[in-house]
């Protein structure tokens, strides 16, 4: 199963979406909870300070307690305040602050030991309050008495602060989201520049402008750069070794073959046929070996100059047939591979078309995501039941109509080595055979 590869831009987009839609909301929620907890903690400390302030202002007499008309905590002196104070003897209220004049409920009394404070959230008529209560022992020289001090603060006062904080937090989160998106975009562009430079150098190598990668790259890409240069150097050395070896082999084989062809043996028709077959087989195997030694690092080879050269040669070789060549090709069309291999491919196919045609040969080159080369002639064509056999290795090369078969095994092997396809059909416009070469360069775009 082939797992589709996701581009770096899409991956970066996923990260950005995660940050904006998941991370920032979680951060917003966490900060809100932390801020609310800090408000509650601050409320407890404030009430505690006000409680001890009240205790310090209590004057205990034989008739009860006396509180000053104005107490130190200003929140307890305002009628519309959200903070209230009360003092109870057992369950009987004996004093309340000015702010609690309009409070129409009795706070929740909590039984605690003297000197032990209790802080909790209580509710009355759907209104929440933070309540701090403390039981103290009031005494003078003659007597002592327990009293419960209770302070309350409305929770909606905290919620109003919380709403203001959330509004400010939302604004800053929005600004932060824009800043993060901008920084991630800049960071991606900055991080992608070395990869873009590397891609540009690789394309320059493919086009033959440079021979190795020379740019300065971050540490993470230095190993890749070194490995690519090592691969290029190794490929070049291997190619030169194979070419030298093949040249020596070809020279060594041609001499004894020439001797045999000039010997009395060659006068025999069967012997001459076998010598010709040996010659073709030698050329075939040498070309296969050369193909195996060709660069895996394919360079862009312009198609038009190769076609022009081949057609010029064919016009001279077949001048007696006065062939009309119709060629459609542009300067931008290219073949990803060795120039010699392209010449071998087109040379064999066009030569076969020239041998088979009556008067016309047509070559059409179309390039988009694929390179498509169609070579047609107005000859007798190739029978449908023999098309597959024509491309089969080991088939006799003289079995078919004149002009088809010679060199086709070489062409078939070359096409396979470049992961292309070779299709034989009938030419719609000329009526003869049509040979279609297709190479998929979609991955290279």
């Amino acid at each position: 199963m082939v797992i589709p590869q996701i581009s770096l831009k899409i991956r970066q987009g996923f990260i950005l979406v995660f940050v904006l839609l998941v991370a920032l909301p979680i951060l917003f929620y966490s900060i809100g909870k932390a801020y609310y907890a800090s408000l509650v903690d601050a409320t407890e400390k404030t009430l505690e300070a006000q409680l001890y302030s009240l205790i310090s202002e209590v004057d205990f007499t034989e008739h009860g307690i006396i509180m000053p008309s104005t107490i130190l905590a200003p929140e307890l002196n305002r009628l519309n305040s959200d903070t209230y104070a009360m003092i109870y003897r057992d369950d009987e209220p004996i004093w309340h602050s000015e702010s609690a004049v309009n409070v129409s409920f009795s706070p929740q009394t909590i039984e605690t030991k003297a000197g032990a404070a209790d802080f909790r959230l209580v509710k009355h008529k759907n209104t929440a309050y933070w309540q701090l209560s403390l039981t103290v022992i009031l005494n003078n020289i003659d007597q002592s008495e327990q009293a419960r001090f209770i302070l309350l603060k409305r929770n909606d006062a905290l919620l109003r602060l919380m709403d203001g904080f959330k509004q400010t937090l939302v604004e800053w989160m929005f600004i932060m989201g824009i800043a993060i998106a901008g920084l991630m975009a800049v960071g991606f562009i900055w991080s992608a520049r070395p990869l873009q430079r590397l891609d540009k150098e690789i394309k320059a190598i493919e086009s033959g402008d440079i021979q190795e990668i020379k740019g300065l790259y971050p540490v993470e890409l230095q190993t890749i750069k070194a490995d690519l240069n090592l691969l290029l150097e190794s490929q070049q050395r291997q190619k030169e070794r194979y070419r030298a070896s093949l040249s020596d082999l070809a020279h060594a084989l041609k001499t004894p073959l020439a001797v045999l062809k000039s010997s009395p043996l060659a006068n025999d028709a069967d012997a001459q046929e076998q010598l010709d077959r040996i010659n073709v087989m030698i050329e075939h195997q040498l070309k296969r070996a050369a193909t195996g030694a060709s660069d895996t690092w394919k360079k862009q080879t312009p198609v038009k100059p190769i076609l022009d050269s081949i057609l010029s040669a064919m016009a001279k070789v077949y001048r007696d047939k006065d062939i009309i060549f119709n060629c459609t090709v542009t300067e931008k069309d290219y073949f990803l591979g060795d120039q010699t291999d392209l010449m071998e491919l087109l040379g064999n196919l066009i030569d076969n078309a020239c041998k088979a045609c009556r008067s016309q040969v047509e070559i059409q080159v179309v390039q988009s995501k694929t390179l498509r080369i169609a070579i047609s002639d107005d000859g007798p064509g190739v029978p449908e039941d023999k098309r597959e056999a024509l491309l089969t290795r080991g088939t006799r090369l003289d079995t078919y109509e004149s002009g088809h078969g010679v060199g086709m095994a070489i062409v078939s092997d070359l096409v396979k080595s470049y992961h292309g396809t070779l299709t034989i059909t009938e030419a719609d416009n000329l009526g003869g055979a049509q040979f279609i070469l297709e190479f998929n360069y979609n991955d290279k775009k």
Side-chain angles (χ1 to χ4, degrees):
M1 180 180 178
V2 179
I3 301 176
Q5 296 299 312
I6 301 174
S7 72
L8 293 177
K9 290 181 180 179
I10 295 178
R11 295 183 188 191
Q12 192 78 4
F14 282 152
I15 295 174
L16 180 59
V17 169
F18 176 81
V19 170
L20 295 181
L21 299 184
V22 179
L24 282 184
I26 291 175
L27 181 62
F28 178 85
Y29 177 78
S30 302
I31 292 176
K33 294 290 287 183
Y35 181 72
Y36 182 73
S38 68
L39 286 178
V40 172
D41 185 62
T43 298
E44 181 181 8
K45 288 181 169 54
T46 301
L47 293 178
E48 187 176 339
Q50 292 172 346
L51 176 65
Y52 287 115
S53 174
L54 279 178
I55 294 173
S56 68
E57 295 183 76
V58 171
D59 187 11
F60 180 67
T61 67
E62 61 181 3
H63 301 292
I65 64 170
I66 299 174
M67 293 291 293
S69 59
T70 302
I71 57 180
L72 294 177
E75 295 90 344
L76 302 177
N77 296 317
R78 296 196 305 267
L79 289 177
N80 295 323
S81 175
D82 53 25
T83 306
Y84 319 113
M86 301 173 185
I87 302 177
Y88 283 75
R89 181 186 292 122
D90 295 327
D91 292 330
E92 180 186 355
I94 57 176
W95 180 87
H96 60 76
S97 64
E98 290 292 328
S99 60
V101 170
N102 296 324
V103 175
S104 61
F105 74 95
S106 299
Q108 182 179 353
T109 57
I110 308 298
E111 295 295 333
T112 58
K113 294 181 180 180
D118 179 80
F119 181 73
R120 66 178 61 197
L121 183 67
V122 297
K123 285 188 176 181
H124 178 75
K125 293 182 180 179
N126 297 324
T127 302
Y129 300 86
W130 287 101
Q131 175 179 298
L132 176 67
S133 60
L134 176 67
T135 301
V136 298
I137 299 176
L138 302 175
N139 56 63
N140 57 18
I141 298 175
D142 298 324
Q143 61 180 348
S144 64
E145 186 176 355
Q146 280 193 355
R148 183 178 295 112
F149 287 74
I150 297 178
L151 278 85
L152 299 108
K153 187 174 183 68
R154 292 174 66 99
N155 186 54
D156 54 12
L158 276 64
L159 295 180
R160 284 194 299 272
L161 292 173
M162 190 68 190
D163 289 340
F165 174 76
K166 283 184 176 179
Q167 182 62 35
T168 303
L169 187 60
V170 166
E171 293 173 0
W172 280 103
M173 283 291 177
F174 182 74
I175 295 172
M176 189 182 300
I178 295 175
I180 289 174
L183 287 174
M184 289 186 69
V186 172
F188 176 77
I189 294 172
W190 187 33
S191 300
R193 278 186 177 177
L195 295 175
Q196 292 172 345
R197 292 203 310 269
L198 182 62
D199 180 61
K200 190 176 292 185
E201 287 206 68
I202 290 174
K203 288 180 178 177
I205 291 173
E206 289 179 344
S207 62
D209 296 336
I210 59 175
Q211 298 299 317
E212 63 177 352
I213 299 172
K214 299 179 180 180
L216 297 176
Y217 295 96
V219 176
E220 293 81 1
L221 296 180
Q222 286 294 338
T223 302
I224 295 178
K225 171 187 172 182
D227 290 343
L228 289 176
N229 282 334
L230 185 63
L231 174 64
L232 288 169
E233 185 180 350
S234 173
Q235 286 291 313
Q236 187 61 31
R237 287 199 306 267
Q238 186 183 43
K239 183 177 180 180
E240 294 301 328
R241 278 200 309 270
Y242 271 99
R243 282 183 173 175
S245 299
L246 291 172
S247 177
D248 294 343
L249 179 60
H251 180 74
L253 289 173
K254 283 181 179 180
T255 300
L257 189 60
V259 171
L260 286 173
K261 294 187 75 170
S262 61
S263 68
L265 255 165
N267 296 328
D268 182 83
D270 292 335
Q272 182 64 46
E273 179 185 356
Q274 296 304 316
L275 288 175
D276 289 339
R277 290 190 63 198
I278 291 172
N279 187 44
V280 171
M281 290 172 63
I282 289 173
E283 293 294 335
H284 181 194
Q285 296 303 324
L286 288 177
K287 175 51 64 177
R288 285 192 65 196
T291 302
S294 64
D295 287 330
T296 57
W297 193 285
K298 299 177 178 65
K299 299 179 180 179
Q300 291 184 7
T301 299
V303 177
K304 191 174 186 304
I306 303 296
L307 269 178
D308 291 343
S309 175
I310 293 173
L311 294 180
S312 176
M314 293 299 165
K316 296 175 182 177
V317 172
Y318 297 98
R319 66 167 61 93
D320 295 338
K321 297 185 74 170
D322 197 20
I323 299 173
I324 299 173
F325 293 101
N326 297 316
C327 184
T328 304
V329 64
T330 68
E331 300 285 350
K332 296 181 180 180
D333 297 330
Y334 64 88
F335 169 73
L336 282 181
D338 187 75
Q339 177 178 329
T340 305
D341 291 339
L342 179 60
M343 185 168 289
E344 185 72 26
L345 284 170
L346 299 181
N348 271 300
L349 293 176
I350 295 174
D351 183 50
N352 285 342
C354 290
K355 289 177 180 177
C357 77
R358 296 184 179 89
S359 62
Q360 291 188 65
V361 172
E362 184 177 279
I363 302 100
Q364 290 185 330
V365 181
V366 179
Q367 187 159 34
S368 55
K369 293 181 179 180
T370 63
L371 173 65
R372 185 180 186 273
I373 304 175
I375 300 171
S376 310
D377 62 67
D378 61 350
V382 179
E384 188 172 353
D385 60 341
K386 295 182 179 181
R387 291 172 185 172
E388 185 176 351
L390 181 60
L391 304 178
T392 302
R393 181 173 178 258
T395 303
R396 287 180 59 88
L397 302 180
D398 56 357
T399 303
Y400 307 101
E401 298 290 338
S402 175
H404 293 298
V406 179
M408 287 306 300
I410 297 174
V411 171
S412 179
D413 285 344
L414 277 171
V415 171
K416 289 178 181 178
S417 72
Y418 284 100
H419 306 287
T421 59
L422 173 59
T423 307
I424 304 175
T425 63
E426 182 180 345
D428 295 332
N429 52 342
L430 298 181
Q434 183 179 60
F435 291 79
I436 302 173
L437 295 171
E438 285 190 288
F439 303 94
N440 188 355
Y441 298 155
N442 188 34
D443 294 338
K444 283 285 184 181
K445 290 295 182 183

